[in-house]
């Protein structure tokens, strides 16, 4: 959680406008979504099909764009 928050705080104003894209099966995605919403930074997370549905829904509830892709996190990261 702190890592995601700190990373977003370090963004330039241009980076904050463009937003962030990350691959995560849950916890990092939730942290980015939560802090992105709080800071007004667009967040897209790529989650594998095995990600818990509650985490997917919570990310969406925070306003993140959630893309389900890949059988596991490695496939989510490389865009299989």
């Amino acid at each position: 959680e702190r890592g995601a928050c700190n990373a977003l705080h370090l963004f330039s104003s241009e980076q904050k406008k463009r937003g962030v894209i990350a691959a995560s099966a849950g916890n990092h995605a939730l942290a980015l979504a939560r802090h992105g919403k709080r800071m007004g930074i667009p967040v897209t997370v790529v989650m594998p099909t095995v990600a818990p549905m509650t985490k997917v829904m919570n990310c969406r509830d925070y306003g993140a764009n959630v893309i389900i892709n890949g059988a596991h996190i490695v496939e989510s990261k490389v865009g299989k």
Side-chain angles (χ1 to χ4, degrees):
E1 173 112 8
R2 290 179 309 200
C5 182
N6 186 50
L8 294 177
H9 275 293
L10 295 175
F11 276 17
S12 69
S13 58
E14 181 59 32
Q15 288 171 312
K16 288 178 180 178
K17 288 179 196 169
R18 284 193 315 244
V20 62
I21 300 171
S24 169
N27 291 338
H28 188 62
L30 280 170
L32 284 173
R34 178 174 172 249
H35 292 295
K37 180 176 183 170
R38 186 175 57 82
M39 298 168 67
I41 299 172
V43 173
T44 296
V45 290
V46 183
M47 303 177 87
T49 58
V50 296
M53 190 51 62
T54 55
K55 292 193 180 196
V56 172
M57 296 308 297
N58 287 338
C59 286
R60 287 183 174 144
D61 287 347
Y62 280 124
N65 175 35
V66 177
I67 299 169
I68 304 297
N69 185 60
H72 48 77
I73 192 64
V74 174
E75 287 185 0
S76 295
K77 289 180 181 180
V78 297
K80 292 272 178 182

